[in-house]
Amino acid sequence: MAGEKDPITCHVLDTSVGKPAKGIRVKLEGGHAPLKTFESQTDDDGRIKTWLPYSSAHEAGDVPTYALEDVLSEVDDKSTWTLRFDTGSYFGEGNTFFPEVVVTFVVDKGQHYHVPLLLAPYSYSTYRGS
């Protein structure tokens, strides 16, 4: 999948400094029950283009072997997904009013979704990008 983007991508801009927010950990959860969880980290440009299956550090066993595209292909029509941005670690403990930003949205089968997050220590905004 080199050079390709997953069907759900995101972009974080730190509006307090006017630059991309590099290194923010993000979890993506959705699909049909049992829900699938993915994780990634924003790159130097503040973007996440691909996701890896989430494997908790507290669980023993094999690493999950599913891809976002596979999970989305199993959905009949619509599904609800949630992005969890670890903004507390990005800004540092006690330096933000929002230690986590949670964005929940509905996905229609076959569509690409880009979710930008405009972020500052005491505010944030999001929208459906292209």
Side-chain angles (χ1 to χ4, degrees), residues 104-127:
T104 301
F105 53 100
V106 175
V107 169
D108 289 319
K109 187 171 185 157
Q111 297 290 311
H112 175 264
Y113 291 84
H114 182 65
V115 183
L117 177 67
L118 306 177
L119 180 64
Y122 298 97
S123 66
Y124 68 89
S125 178
T126 187
Y127 57 97

Side-chain angles (χ1 to χ4, degrees), residues 16 32 48-49 73-74 101 105 110:
S16 67
H32 288 309
I48 292 179
K49 298 176 187 172
S73 71
E74 295 171 0
V101 172
F105 53 100

Side-chain angles (χ1 to χ4, degrees), residues 5-129:
K5 295 182 206 173
D6 271 338
I8 299 173
T9 58
C10 64
H11 188 192
V12 185
L13 298 171
D14 184 339
T15 59
S16 67
V17 294
K19 295 183 180 180
K22 175 185 174 185
I24 293 183
R25 289 187 57 133
V26 184
K27 285 186 184 174
L28 172 66
E29 183 178 70
H32 288 309
L35 299 179
K36 301 291 190 210
T37 304
F38 298 86
E39 66 180 336
S40 195
Q41 188 169 339
T42 56
D43 63 14
D44 289 346
D45 196 32
R47 296 178 184 274
I48 292 179
K49 298 176 187 172
T50 58
W51 300 92
L52 297 173
Y54 176 71
S55 179
S56 172
H58 304 291
E59 294 178 10
D62 295 330
V63 174
T65 56
Y66 48 82
L68 178 57
E69 197 165 293
D70 297 333
V71 173
L72 286 169
S73 71
E74 295 171 0
V75 174
D76 294 329
D77 188 26
K78 295 179 185 241
S79 56
T80 301
W81 290 80
T82 300
L83 286 165
R84 296 181 180 278
F85 298 86
D86 181 9
T87 54
S89 294
Y90 173 74
F91 286 115
E93 188 174 331
N95 293 323
T96 180
F97 185 68
F98 302 103
E100 180 180 62
V101 172
V102 178
V103 179
T104 301
F105 53 100
V106 175
V107 169
D108 289 319
K109 187 171 185 157
Q111 297 290 311
H112 175 264
Y113 291 84
H114 182 65
V115 183
L117 177 67
L118 306 177
L119 180 64
Y122 298 97
S123 66
Y124 68 89
S125 178
T126 187
Y127 57 97
R128 181 178 179 185

